[in-house]
Every structure is written in C-alpha cells, then in structure tokens.
Amino acid sequence: MIPKAVYWDMDGTLIDSEPLHERSLIAALRSVGIEPPVDLHARVVGQAARPVYEVLRDQFGLALEFDEWIARKYDHYMSHAPGLLPRDGAMEIFGDLKARGTVQAIVSNSDRMVVDANLRAVGLHEPAMRTISRNDVRCGKPDPEPYLRAAWLTGIDPADTVVMEDSFTGASAGVAAGMRTIFWPQDPVDGPDGALVAHSAGDVRAFLGLN
C-alpha cells in the first residue's frame, strides 16, 4: 500500500550530491595541507557538518576553528551546486508519489544553505515543499528528532510514513523514529536492523507499492 507520507533524505538519496560533498571536503583539507585518506568520505557520509569537523580535528589535526573550516568547504560546494542532478530514478519516484497524493518532505543533515541550493538545482525549491535541515533541530541524525519534526509538520502518524535514506546514519534515524525505513545505499552495504534494503530504484518502487 502506498504510504501517506514519504520523507526523503537529500544528499545521495534524492540528489546525486555526495560526490560534490567529497570533492569539497578534499579541496578544503588540501587547502590547509592535509591529504585525506581515500576512504574518508565513506567514513563520514550522512553525518552533519560539526561531527565531521570533530573527526577532522581529532584524527587529522585540523587546526581551523569550525566557522573557518566550514566556510572553506562551502565556498567550494556552493560554487558547484547549481550543476547538481537528481539521483537516477529518484525524481521519477518522487513524481509518481506526488501524483498519487502522497505528502513528501525533505529531511537532511545538511545545513539550510546547502538544502536550499540543492533543491534549487533540481527544481524542488518551492514554498509548498516542507524541508528540515540540521539548523532546524537540536539533534541531527542518527537521532530521530529530524524525522519526528517532519511528522509534526505534516501531521501524519509515523506509522503511516516511509523514510528514504542512503546512509546508515540516516536510516538509523528513520528506524528510531518508528517509521518504515527504506535503505537505498549508493554501494552495497548492510543497513541498520529494522530497515528494508533496496538494491535498485525498482526495489524502492516495490517497497512503496508503486509497481
């Protein structure tokens, strides 16, 4: 049965923005003479900006204060964000759900400026679109607060809701919020207990009752 609401993670789930996040992370680190390991992005994917900064500070010796660090990363990110595209198959699913009357929202661990820039790039930045950024909650994912805030904004019971996620961090938040969670990773990895694992857009459609 098609759910009453679907809450989408943004980066990597609805929009193919994780490669740009990785390039921006690398560019900012190299600007201060730090060469990151090849698996760094995979280790921090789905996390909000401050926890990532704390990893860089504690494990790699990043000496910048948080505000200076994030300004360097976002300077690179924002200059390239207008060229972002949706993830393959995601926008078609979004459109089919919209046509069936399903309420949809964006729930992201990214800061507000990144959320707005990404949604503009794919044509979803509109007044009716409900969006929750990391700036809108006290605790980011994996805490359930972002998804519970979306439930409060839409007025739809979590039991009638599906969460769409590509990261273990985000999927854990959806499960903790008591929502049916579809884990649709970019690469084949295990999801958290309680999440449905999708290996393709076709699997996502089947889980959502769109086939």
Side-chain angles (χ1 to χ4, degrees):
M1 188 171 76
I2 295 174
K4 292 181 180 178
V6 173
Y7 304 147
W8 291 82
D9 170 61
M10 182 183 67
D11 294 301
T13 306
L14 184 61
I15 301 175
D16 188 21
S17 52
E18 289 296 354
L20 178 55
H21 277 288
E22 181 173 16
R23 292 194 299 272
S24 302
L25 177 65
I26 291 170
L29 285 172
R30 286 177 174 167
S31 75
V32 294
I34 298 175
E35 186 61 32
V38 295
D39 67 339
L40 176 59
H41 182 69
R43 288 160 55 183
V44 300
V45 66
Q47 297 184 37
R50 189 166 289 275
V52 173
Y53 165 77
E54 291 169 357
V55 169
L56 301 175
R57 181 195 62 198
D58 298 343
Q59 298 184 22
F60 297 95
L62 179 66
L64 299 178
E65 293 298 322
F66 176 77
D67 288 348
E68 186 178 353
W69 155 254
I70 204 64
R72 288 186 182 226
K73 183 189 174 194
Y74 284 172
D75 181 61
H76 185 277
Y77 188 93
M78 299 301 288
S79 67
H80 294 84
L84 289 170
L85 297 171
R87 182 178 181 180
D88 286 346
M91 199 60 74
E92 292 79 7
I93 295 170
F94 188 97
D96 287 349
L97 289 169
K98 183 177 181 180
R100 288 163 170 78
T102 298
V103 173
Q104 296 180 90
I106 307 300
V107 181
S108 177
N109 249 5
S110 286
D111 290 332
R112 169 57 55 190
M113 65 184 295
V114 173
V115 171
D116 290 346
N118 285 12
L119 295 181
R120 283 192 190 96
V122 299
L124 287 180
H125 191 264
E126 53 190 47
M129 177 60 65
R130 297 178 179 89
T131 62
I132 293 90
S133 74
R134 179 62 184 89
N135 305 113
D136 301 320
V137 293
R138 293 167 299 176
C139 300
K141 307 171 192 176
D143 193 275
E145 183 185 353
Y147 282 113
L148 294 176
R149 179 164 178 79
W152 180 79
L153 288 174
T154 61
I156 296 175
D157 193 310
D160 296 321
T161 297
V162 167
V163 163
M164 289 293 312
E165 278 283 354
D166 75 312
S167 74
F168 192 99
T169 297
S172 297
V175 172
M179 300 174 182
R180 190 158 62 102
T181 300
I182 298 175
F183 180 55
W184 184 24
Q186 296 277 353
D187 300 306
V189 293
D190 293 333
D193 291 343
L196 300 167
V197 179
H199 300 287
S200 66
D203 287 349
V204 173
R205 299 183 71 87
F207 286 141
L208 290 171
L210 289 173
N211 289 343

